[in-house]
Amino acid sequence: KGERVAVMGPSGSGKSTLLTCLAGLEEPDEGEVRFLGRSLRRMGADAVSELRRGRITSIFQFFHLLPTLTAEENVAFPLMLAGTARKEKEARTAALLEEVGLAERRGADPSDLSGGELQRLAIARALITEPALLLADEPTGSLDASNSERILGLLRELTERHGTALLMVTHDPEAAGSCDRILHIRDGRLSGDPVSASA
């Protein structure tokens, strides 16, 4: 809980496949994925889909926001799907937009936001359901150095505050260095021993 782990490896090593297996979008050929003590393989498709709507969430290099919704509506969307009461949905959305520094941009369309703002918005949307696990696929890959640094700091701060575990796939040594541990993967297997990011 609250731990940040980076996964690094060359292109084609299996990093993205690992993420899709952890998210329950694919089943591994061997072994199993266990989440909070339960095997995803044995849970059934409906139960795994339910996990992805709240307990396991993802952010991506290219944001995957809904272009027809405002910033506020994008963040609130998972709560709307969950049937959260209007007052609670509004309060939680407002609080998270404040946390990521986008309170004054809540009415903006995604097309009017910068890359850094879009990624902050994607982080807010991913955290609105208070997930146990946040999967991040190259979250700084399309950002400049300044925005990358800000996003990494925000991820560190918010995962600590919300007690969310973070698994980040990245090619960026600085991004990996912001995590507690770094795992290296090659040809679909862990390569060497996990190392502390501070080592």
Coordinates of all heavy atoms in Angstrom, one line a residue, residues 45-56 82:
A45 N -15.2 -12.5 -15.4 CA -15.0 -11.3 -16.2 C -15.8 -10.1 -15.5 O -15.3 -9.0 -15.5 CB -15.5 -11.5 -17.6
D46 N -17.0 -10.4 -15.0 CA -17.8 -9.2 -14.4 C -17.1 -8.7 -13.2 O -17.0 -7.4 -13.0 CB -19.2 -9.7 -14.1 CG -20.0 -10.0 -15.3 OD1 -19.7 -9.6 -16.4 OD2 -21.1 -10.7 -15.1
A47 N -16.5 -9.5 -12.4 CA -15.9 -9.1 -11.1 C -14.6 -8.3 -11.5 O -14.3 -7.3 -10.9 CB -15.6 -10.2 -10.2
V48 N -13.9 -8.8 -12.5 CA -12.6 -8.1 -12.9 C -13.0 -6.7 -13.5 O -12.3 -5.7 -13.3 CB -11.8 -8.9 -13.9 CG1 -10.7 -8.1 -14.5 CG2 -11.3 -10.2 -13.2
S49 N -14.1 -6.6 -14.3 CA -14.5 -5.4 -14.9 C -14.9 -4.4 -13.7 O -14.6 -3.2 -13.8 CB -15.7 -5.6 -15.8 OG -15.3 -6.3 -16.9
E50 N -15.5 -4.9 -12.7 CA -15.8 -4.1 -11.6 C -14.6 -3.5 -10.9 O -14.5 -2.3 -10.5 CB -16.7 -4.9 -10.6 CG -17.2 -4.1 -9.4 CD -18.3 -3.1 -9.8 OE1 -19.0 -3.3 -10.9 OE2 -18.4 -2.1 -9.1
L51 N -13.5 -4.3 -10.8 CA -12.3 -3.9 -10.2 C -11.7 -2.7 -11.0 O -11.2 -1.7 -10.5 CB -11.2 -5.0 -10.2 CG -11.3 -6.0 -9.1 CD1 -10.1 -7.0 -9.3 CD2 -11.2 -5.4 -7.7
R52 N -11.8 -2.8 -12.4 CA -11.2 -1.8 -13.2 C -12.0 -0.5 -13.2 O -11.5 0.5 -13.6 CB -11.2 -2.3 -14.7 CG -10.0 -3.3 -14.9 CD -9.7 -3.3 -16.4 NE -10.9 -3.7 -17.2 CZ -11.3 -4.9 -17.5 NH1 -10.6 -5.9 -17.0 NH2 -12.4 -5.1 -18.2
R53 N -13.2 -0.5 -12.7 CA -14.0 0.7 -12.5 C -13.7 1.4 -11.2 O -14.3 2.5 -11.0 CB -15.5 0.4 -12.6 CG -16.0 0.1 -14.0 CD -17.5 0.2 -14.2 NE -18.2 -0.9 -13.5 CZ -18.4 -2.1 -14.2 NH1 -18.1 -2.2 -15.4 NH2 -19.1 -3.0 -13.5
G54 N -12.8 0.8 -10.4 CA -12.6 1.5 -9.1 C -11.3 1.2 -8.4 O -10.5 2.0 -8.1
R55 N -11.1 -0.1 -8.2 CA -9.9 -0.5 -7.4 C -8.6 -0.6 -8.1 O -7.6 -0.4 -7.5 CB -10.2 -1.9 -6.7 CG -11.5 -1.9 -5.9 CD -11.4 -0.9 -4.7 NE -10.5 -1.4 -3.7 CZ -9.9 -0.6 -2.8 NH1 -10.0 0.7 -2.9 NH2 -9.1 -1.1 -1.9
I56 N -8.7 -0.8 -9.4 CA -7.5 -0.7 -10.3 C -7.7 0.3 -11.4 O -8.7 0.1 -12.2 CB -7.2 -2.1 -10.9 CG1 -7.0 -3.2 -9.9 CG2 -6.0 -2.0 -11.9 CD1 -6.8 -4.6 -10.5
A82 N -20.4 4.8 -11.4 CA -20.6 4.0 -10.2 C -21.9 4.4 -9.5 O -22.3 3.8 -8.5 CB -19.5 4.3 -9.2

